[in-house]
Structures are given as structure tokens and as C-alpha cells.
Amino acid sequence: MSWDDCEKCEELLQPYLDRVLSDEERAEAERHLEGCSYCRKRYVFEEQIRQFVRQSVVEEMPPELKQKLAALRTPL
Amino acid sequence: MSDAPEVDARRLAEEARDRVRFEEEALELADQVYRVARRFVSTREEAEDLMQETYARAFRSWRSFQPGTNMRAWLLRILTNLNIDRGRRVQRAPDTQPLEEGDYFLYNKLEEDGGSAEGRVDDRLSQDDAVAALSAVPHDFRDVIVLVDIGDFSYADAAQILEIPIGTVMSRLHRGRRILKHELADRAVGSAVS
């Protein structure tokens, strides 16, 4: 395991989590992650932080707004 | 000739049915559209105004929607254009300052700050921190993060909504996420992060 491998693995982090890597690249990342706890911990953390941000910033639509939107419909 | 009024009546009935179907489908998507709208602007009031303007325009121009295509992306494109047109979105030069930190930046900062970064996200960052950190990301980058990470749009859909090339979506997402992590690190570790 070399630092070059870890550098390459870091580059693949975002597209890996976005599921946009080619089969070959994904296999390459997974091979590295299997043997490298340094990168593996950081991948797990990145997934958690994305989830945390997503849950934190999502705000549900106020019910009264939905009624206002429905009122904009063309009358029958 | 004599059945022309019947043809007209049938056509009108079909059009009314299509319109109702369109409106119902658009309203079913409102919750998902709002999630994105809310993070495109600063306040709930602005998001509500933007939603109402978007739906008013969508209901008026429903004929320009092509059935079978992605209605959520279509609604978001209207919303994005309105947001820019109404000047809510402050136009600014893209942030081109180099950002040296890599993708492991936040993890490494938490580690450096003492102990392990594992299991520390909730301990070190509040919901308000996440909201503030996202708000601090410049618009050009934030819009892409909101569409892809909050709205679950593909890179291609985000490119279509924002009317930018897909390569620009990818580069803004890459940089935007790094800026976001830097902002989160500031809040988790303190503003001494550099």
C-alpha cells in the first residue's frame, strides 16, 4: 500500500459515493479500501457527513403553502 | 360538418383532463421542489414566494411540458430562472481561489483536534451549524450541492436545470463540497482553521 494509492483513492471518494465511477474504477477503489483502514475510515466518515448535512438542512414544506399552491390551479 | 361541435367538445374535454392530470402531478412534487427551493434562498418567506411564483407560471404554461419527461426537473428549471430573474440570487464572480485541502480535510481536522473523528459528527456539529455552513458556500457552488445532494438530481439533470455544461456541474460540486467541509470544520474546531 503506497501513499500514491491513497491519493488516488481520495480522488475517487466523491464519484464513488455519487455512484458514477466505471466498474473498473469502483473495483479499484474497493480493492484499496479493503486493505487500507486509513482511507476506509475516511470514506465511512464522508458518507456520514453527507447524511448529517442532508438531514440537518432539509426543511419540510409548511402545509399551508401546499394549500396556497393548490389554490393557483385553473378553476374547472 | 355536423359533428364539428362534438369534436371540439371532445378535444376540450381531453385538454381539461390533461391539465388536471398535470396540475395534480405537479402538486404531488411540491414537497420535493420545496426542499431545494428552501436552500436556494435565505429565508422561508423567500422560498414560499418563489414556490408560488413557480407554480403559478407552471400552471399557466403547462402545455410546454412534454409528458414522459422529468417534471421535477422542469419545475426546478422554472424556479431557478425565476430566482435569477427576481434578483434574489446575487450574481457574483465565481470563487477561483485555490483550495488546497483535499477531500479528507474535515476528517483530518477532527482527528487533529483530539482523538478520533469517528462518531463525532453529532457531538461536534449541530443542525444549525450544517445550515450555516451550507449558507456560507457561494451560490454557484451551493446550487449544485443542493440539487445533487439534497434534491437527488443526477449531474445531467442539474446541468439542464442550471443551464450549464455537465463538466461545470462536476467541477462546482467537487469544489463546493470542499468549501462546505471547510465551513463545517470552522464550526467544529473553531475559526482558527486555515
Side-chain angles (χ1 to χ4, degrees), chain B residues 27-63:
Chain B
L27 285 171
E28 280 169 19
L29 294 168
D31 292 289
Q32 295 173 54
V33 175
Y34 180 81
R35 287 181 189 185
V36 174
R38 178 64 190 89
R39 294 301 159 210
F40 268 4
V41 295
S42 308
T43 67
R44 187 176 300 166
E45 289 71 26
E46 284 178 307
E48 292 193 14
D49 286 350
L50 194 50
M51 285 291 286
Q52 291 188 68
E53 289 165 24
T54 299
Y55 272 76
R57 182 174 286 188
F59 289 159
R60 273 201 311 275
S61 48
W62 68 277
R63 286 185 190 83

Short mmCIF file of all heavy atoms in Angstrom, two decimals, chain B residues 27-63:
data_model
loop_
_atom_site.label_atom_id
_atom_site.label_comp_id
_atom_site.label_asym_id
_atom_site.label_seq_id
_atom_site.Cartn_x
_atom_site.Cartn_y
_atom_site.Cartn_z
N LEU B 27 -48.40 19.15 -8.13
CA LEU B 27 -48.63 19.38 -6.69
C LEU B 27 -48.05 18.25 -5.85
O LEU B 27 -47.56 18.47 -4.75
CB LEU B 27 -50.12 19.56 -6.40
CG LEU B 27 -50.70 20.92 -6.82
CD1 LEU B 27 -52.22 20.93 -6.71
CD2 LEU B 27 -50.11 22.06 -5.98
N GLU B 28 -48.10 17.03 -6.39
CA GLU B 28 -47.52 15.90 -5.66
C GLU B 28 -46.00 16.06 -5.48
O GLU B 28 -45.42 15.52 -4.56
CB GLU B 28 -47.80 14.58 -6.39
CG GLU B 28 -49.21 14.06 -6.13
CD GLU B 28 -49.58 12.91 -7.05
OE1 GLU B 28 -48.67 12.29 -7.63
OE2 GLU B 28 -50.79 12.66 -7.20
N LEU B 29 -45.38 16.81 -6.41
CA LEU B 29 -43.93 17.01 -6.34
C LEU B 29 -43.54 18.21 -5.49
O LEU B 29 -42.35 18.47 -5.29
CB LEU B 29 -43.37 17.19 -7.76
CG LEU B 29 -43.48 15.97 -8.67
CD1 LEU B 29 -43.16 16.36 -10.12
CD2 LEU B 29 -42.52 14.87 -8.20
N ALA B 30 -44.54 18.95 -4.99
CA ALA B 30 -44.25 20.23 -4.33
C ALA B 30 -43.32 20.08 -3.12
O ALA B 30 -42.44 20.91 -2.91
CB ALA B 30 -45.56 20.91 -3.92
N ASP B 31 -43.50 19.02 -2.35
CA ASP B 31 -42.63 18.83 -1.17
C ASP B 31 -41.17 18.72 -1.58
O ASP B 31 -40.28 19.31 -0.96
CB ASP B 31 -43.02 17.54 -0.42
CG ASP B 31 -44.38 17.67 0.24
OD1 ASP B 31 -44.49 18.41 1.23
OD2 ASP B 31 -45.31 17.04 -0.26
N GLN B 32 -40.93 17.95 -2.64
CA GLN B 32 -39.54 17.76 -3.10
C GLN B 32 -38.98 19.05 -3.71
O GLN B 32 -37.80 19.36 -3.53
CB GLN B 32 -39.49 16.65 -4.15
CG GLN B 32 -39.87 15.29 -3.59
CD GLN B 32 -39.97 14.25 -4.70
OE1 GLN B 32 -39.04 14.06 -5.46
NE2 GLN B 32 -41.10 13.59 -4.80
N VAL B 33 -39.82 19.78 -4.42
CA VAL B 33 -39.36 21.04 -5.02
C VAL B 33 -39.04 22.04 -3.91
O VAL B 33 -38.04 22.76 -3.97
CB VAL B 33 -40.43 21.61 -6.00
CG1 VAL B 33 -40.01 22.98 -6.53
CG2 VAL B 33 -40.67 20.65 -7.16
N TYR B 34 -39.87 22.05 -2.87
CA TYR B 34 -39.66 23.00 -1.76
C TYR B 34 -38.32 22.76 -1.06
O TYR B 34 -37.64 23.70 -0.68
CB TYR B 34 -40.81 22.89 -0.76
CG TYR B 34 -40.65 23.84 0.41
CD1 TYR B 34 -41.00 25.19 0.29
CD2 TYR B 34 -40.11 23.40 1.62
CE1 TYR B 34 -40.82 26.07 1.36
CE2 TYR B 34 -39.94 24.29 2.69
CZ TYR B 34 -40.30 25.61 2.54
OH TYR B 34 -40.11 26.48 3.59
N ARG B 35 -37.96 21.51 -0.88
CA ARG B 35 -36.68 21.21 -0.20
C ARG B 35 -35.50 21.90 -0.89
O ARG B 35 -34.58 22.38 -0.24
CB ARG B 35 -36.42 19.71 -0.20
CG ARG B 35 -37.29 18.97 0.76
CD ARG B 35 -36.95 17.49 0.72
NE ARG B 35 -37.93 16.76 1.50
CZ ARG B 35 -37.85 15.47 1.74
NH1 ARG B 35 -36.83 14.77 1.27
NH2 ARG B 35 -38.77 14.86 2.45
N VAL B 36 -35.55 21.90 -2.21
CA VAL B 36 -34.49 22.55 -2.98
C VAL B 36 -34.67 24.07 -2.90
O VAL B 36 -33.71 24.80 -2.62
CB VAL B 36 -34.51 22.08 -4.45
CG1 VAL B 36 -33.51 22.86 -5.28
CG2 VAL B 36 -34.21 20.58 -4.52
N ALA B 37 -35.91 24.53 -3.10
CA ALA B 37 -36.18 25.98 -3.09
C ALA B 37 -35.72 26.60 -1.77
O ALA B 37 -35.11 27.67 -1.75
CB ALA B 37 -37.67 26.23 -3.28
N ARG B 38 -35.98 25.88 -0.68
CA ARG B 38 -35.67 26.44 0.64
C ARG B 38 -34.17 26.72 0.81
O ARG B 38 -33.80 27.67 1.50
CB ARG B 38 -36.16 25.45 1.74
CG ARG B 38 -35.86 25.89 3.15
CD ARG B 38 -36.58 27.17 3.50
NE ARG B 38 -36.13 27.73 4.77
CZ ARG B 38 -35.11 28.57 4.90
NH1 ARG B 38 -34.43 28.97 3.83
NH2 ARG B 38 -34.75 29.03 6.08
N ARG B 39 -33.34 25.87 0.17
CA ARG B 39 -31.88 26.08 0.31
C ARG B 39 -31.28 26.90 -0.82
O ARG B 39 -30.10 27.20 -0.81
CB ARG B 39 -31.17 24.72 0.44
CG ARG B 39 -31.53 24.00 1.72
CD ARG B 39 -31.16 24.81 2.96
NE ARG B 39 -31.91 24.37 4.14
CZ ARG B 39 -32.24 25.17 5.15
NH1 ARG B 39 -31.90 26.43 5.15
NH2 ARG B 39 -32.93 24.70 6.17
N PHE B 40 -32.10 27.25 -1.80
CA PHE B 40 -31.65 28.18 -2.85
C PHE B 40 -31.67 29.61 -2.32
O PHE B 40 -30.97 30.47 -2.83
CB PHE B 40 -32.56 28.09 -4.07
CG PHE B 40 -32.13 27.11 -5.13
CD1 PHE B 40 -31.03 26.28 -4.95
CD2 PHE B 40 -32.82 27.01 -6.33
CE1 PHE B 40 -30.64 25.37 -5.93
CE2 PHE B 40 -32.44 26.11 -7.32
CZ PHE B 40 -31.35 25.29 -7.11
N VAL B 41 -32.54 29.87 -1.35
CA VAL B 41 -32.71 31.24 -0.83
C VAL B 41 -32.46 31.25 0.67
O VAL B 41 -32.34 30.20 1.30
CB VAL B 41 -34.14 31.77 -1.15
CG1 VAL B 41 -34.35 31.92 -2.64
CG2 VAL B 41 -35.20 30.87 -0.54
N SER B 42 -32.43 32.47 1.23
CA SER B 42 -32.03 32.58 2.64
C SER B 42 -33.16 32.34 3.63
O SER B 42 -32.93 31.82 4.72
CB SER B 42 -31.46 33.98 2.91
OG SER B 42 -30.46 34.27 1.99
N THR B 43 -34.36 32.76 3.27
CA THR B 43 -35.43 32.70 4.28
C THR B 43 -36.60 31.84 3.81
O THR B 43 -36.79 31.62 2.60
CB THR B 43 -35.97 34.11 4.59
OG1 THR B 43 -36.63 34.60 3.41
CG2 THR B 43 -34.85 35.07 5.00
N ARG B 44 -37.39 31.42 4.77
CA ARG B 44 -38.59 30.63 4.46
C ARG B 44 -39.58 31.45 3.62
O ARG B 44 -40.20 30.94 2.71
CB ARG B 44 -39.25 30.20 5.78
CG ARG B 44 -40.38 29.24 5.60
CD ARG B 44 -40.92 28.79 6.93
NE ARG B 44 -39.91 28.14 7.74
CZ ARG B 44 -40.03 27.88 9.04
NH1 ARG B 44 -41.12 28.23 9.68
NH2 ARG B 44 -39.08 27.28 9.70
N GLU B 45 -39.67 32.75 3.95
CA GLU B 45 -40.61 33.62 3.22
C GLU B 45 -40.23 33.69 1.74
O GLU B 45 -41.10 33.60 0.87
CB GLU B 45 -40.61 35.04 3.82
CG GLU B 45 -41.26 35.15 5.18
CD GLU B 45 -40.44 34.51 6.31
OE1 GLU B 45 -39.20 34.41 6.17
OE2 GLU B 45 -41.05 34.06 7.30
N GLU B 46 -38.93 33.84 1.48
CA GLU B 46 -38.48 33.90 0.08
C GLU B 46 -38.79 32.58 -0.63
O GLU B 46 -39.19 32.57 -1.79
CB GLU B 46 -36.96 34.14 0.03
CG GLU B 46 -36.55 35.56 0.31
CD GLU B 46 -35.03 35.71 0.30
OE1 GLU B 46 -34.34 34.94 1.00
OE2 GLU B 46 -34.55 36.57 -0.43
N ALA B 47 -38.57 31.48 0.08
CA ALA B 47 -38.83 30.16 -0.52
C ALA B 47 -40.31 30.01 -0.84
O ALA B 47 -40.68 29.49 -1.90
CB ALA B 47 -38.38 29.06 0.43
N GLU B 48 -41.18 30.50 0.05
CA GLU B 48 -42.62 30.37 -0.18
C GLU B 48 -43.05 31.24 -1.37
O GLU B 48 -43.84 30.79 -2.20
CB GLU B 48 -43.39 30.76 1.09
CG GLU B 48 -43.16 29.75 2.20
CD GLU B 48 -44.14 29.90 3.36
OE1 GLU B 48 -45.16 30.59 3.20
OE2 GLU B 48 -43.88 29.31 4.42
N ASP B 49 -42.51 32.46 -1.44
CA ASP B 49 -42.83 33.33 -2.60
C ASP B 49 -42.39 32.68 -3.90
O ASP B 49 -43.11 32.65 -4.89
CB ASP B 49 -42.11 34.68 -2.46
CG ASP B 49 -42.75 35.56 -1.39
OD1 ASP B 49 -43.84 35.19 -0.91
OD2 ASP B 49 -42.14 36.58 -1.03
N LEU B 50 -41.17 32.14 -3.86
CA LEU B 50 -40.61 31.52 -5.06
C LEU B 50 -41.44 30.31 -5.49
O LEU B 50 -41.68 30.10 -6.69
CB LEU B 50 -39.16 31.10 -4.74
CG LEU B 50 -38.23 30.72 -5.87
CD1 LEU B 50 -38.21 31.76 -6.99
CD2 LEU B 50 -36.81 30.51 -5.32
N MET B 51 -41.89 29.53 -4.54
CA MET B 51 -42.72 28.38 -4.86
C MET B 51 -44.04 28.83 -5.51
O MET B 51 -44.49 28.24 -6.50
CB MET B 51 -43.04 27.59 -3.58
CG MET B 51 -41.90 26.77 -3.03
SD MET B 51 -41.48 25.36 -4.09
CE MET B 51 -42.85 24.24 -3.77
N GLN B 52 -44.64 29.87 -4.95
CA GLN B 52 -45.92 30.32 -5.51
C GLN B 52 -45.74 30.88 -6.91
O GLN B 52 -46.55 30.61 -7.80
CB GLN B 52 -46.56 31.36 -4.58
CG GLN B 52 -47.01 30.73 -3.27
CD GLN B 52 -47.81 31.69 -2.41
OE1 GLN B 52 -48.92 32.06 -2.75
NE2 GLN B 52 -47.24 32.09 -1.29
N GLU B 53 -44.67 31.62 -7.12
CA GLU B 53 -44.40 32.15 -8.47
C GLU B 53 -44.13 31.01 -9.45
O GLU B 53 -44.58 31.02 -10.59
CB GLU B 53 -43.19 33.09 -8.43
CG GLU B 53 -43.48 34.41 -7.73
CD GLU B 53 -42.20 35.18 -7.38
OE1 GLU B 53 -41.17 34.95 -8.04
OE2 GLU B 53 -42.25 35.99 -6.43
N THR B 54 -43.40 30.01 -8.97
CA THR B 54 -43.07 28.87 -9.83
C THR B 54 -44.33 28.10 -10.24
O THR B 54 -44.53 27.78 -11.41
CB THR B 54 -42.10 27.92 -9.09
OG1 THR B 54 -40.91 28.63 -8.80
CG2 THR B 54 -41.78 26.70 -9.92
N TYR B 55 -45.17 27.83 -9.27
CA TYR B 55 -46.37 27.05 -9.58
C TYR B 55 -47.36 27.86 -10.41
O TYR B 55 -48.04 27.31 -11.29
CB TYR B 55 -46.99 26.48 -8.29
CG TYR B 55 -46.37 25.13 -7.97
CD1 TYR B 55 -45.09 25.05 -7.42
CD2 TYR B 55 -47.03 23.94 -8.29
CE1 TYR B 55 -44.49 23.82 -7.18
CE2 TYR B 55 -46.44 22.71 -8.05
CZ TYR B 55 -45.18 22.64 -7.50
OH TYR B 55 -44.59 21.42 -7.27
N ALA B 56 -47.43 29.17 -10.16
CA ALA B 56 -48.32 29.99 -10.99
C ALA B 56 -47.87 29.94 -12.44
O ALA B 56 -48.66 29.76 -13.36
CB ALA B 56 -48.32 31.44 -10.48
N ARG B 57 -46.56 30.04 -12.64
CA ARG B 57 -46.04 30.00 -14.01
C ARG B 57 -46.20 28.60 -14.62
O ARG B 57 -46.57 28.46 -15.78
CB ARG B 57 -44.56 30.41 -14.05
CG ARG B 57 -44.03 30.43 -15.47
CD ARG B 57 -42.63 30.97 -15.58
NE ARG B 57 -42.60 32.42 -15.41
CZ ARG B 57 -41.50 33.16 -15.63
NH1 ARG B 57 -40.39 32.58 -16.01
NH2 ARG B 57 -41.53 34.46 -15.46
N ALA B 58 -45.93 27.59 -13.83
CA ALA B 58 -46.06 26.21 -14.34
C ALA B 58 -47.50 25.92 -14.75
O ALA B 58 -47.74 25.32 -15.81
CB ALA B 58 -45.60 25.22 -13.27
N PHE B 59 -48.45 26.35 -13.94
CA PHE B 59 -49.86 26.09 -14.28
C PHE B 59 -50.28 26.86 -15.53
O PHE B 59 -51.11 26.39 -16.31
CB PHE B 59 -50.77 26.45 -13.10
CG PHE B 59 -50.65 25.50 -11.92
CD1 PHE B 59 -51.05 25.91 -10.64
CD2 PHE B 59 -50.16 24.22 -12.07
CE1 PHE B 59 -50.94 25.04 -9.55
CE2 PHE B 59 -50.04 23.35 -10.98
CZ PHE B 59 -50.43 23.76 -9.72
N ARG B 60 -49.69 28.04 -15.72
CA ARG B 60 -50.01 28.82 -16.92
C ARG B 60 -49.42 28.19 -18.17
O ARG B 60 -50.02 28.22 -19.23
CB ARG B 60 -49.44 30.25 -16.78
CG ARG B 60 -50.35 31.23 -16.08
CD ARG B 60 -49.98 32.68 -16.43
NE ARG B 60 -48.57 32.99 -16.31
CZ ARG B 60 -47.97 33.35 -15.17
NH1 ARG B 60 -48.67 33.43 -14.05
NH2 ARG B 60 -46.67 33.62 -15.14
N SER B 61 -48.21 27.65 -18.03
CA SER B 61 -47.51 27.17 -19.23
C SER B 61 -47.43 25.64 -19.28
O SER B 61 -46.47 25.09 -19.79
CB SER B 61 -46.12 27.81 -19.31
OG SER B 61 -45.47 27.71 -18.08
N TRP B 62 -48.44 24.99 -18.74
CA TRP B 62 -48.41 23.53 -18.63
C TRP B 62 -48.29 22.86 -19.99
O TRP B 62 -47.73 21.77 -20.10
CB TRP B 62 -49.66 23.02 -17.89
CG TRP B 62 -50.94 23.20 -18.66
CD1 TRP B 62 -51.69 24.33 -18.74
CD2 TRP B 62 -51.57 22.22 -19.48
NE1 TRP B 62 -52.77 24.13 -19.55
CE2 TRP B 62 -52.73 22.83 -20.02
CE3 TRP B 62 -51.29 20.90 -19.82
CZ2 TRP B 62 -53.59 22.17 -20.88
CZ3 TRP B 62 -52.17 20.23 -20.67
CH2 TRP B 62 -53.30 20.86 -21.19
N ARG B 63 -48.77 23.52 -21.04
CA ARG B 63 -48.72 22.90 -22.38
C ARG B 63 -47.28 22.72 -22.86
O ARG B 63 -47.01 21.89 -23.71
CB ARG B 63 -49.48 23.74 -23.40
CG ARG B 63 -50.98 23.64 -23.27
CD ARG B 63 -51.68 24.40 -24.38
NE ARG B 63 -53.11 24.51 -24.14
CZ ARG B 63 -53.65 25.45 -23.36
NH1 ARG B 63 -52.90 26.34 -22.77
NH2 ARG B 63 -54.96 25.48 -23.17
#
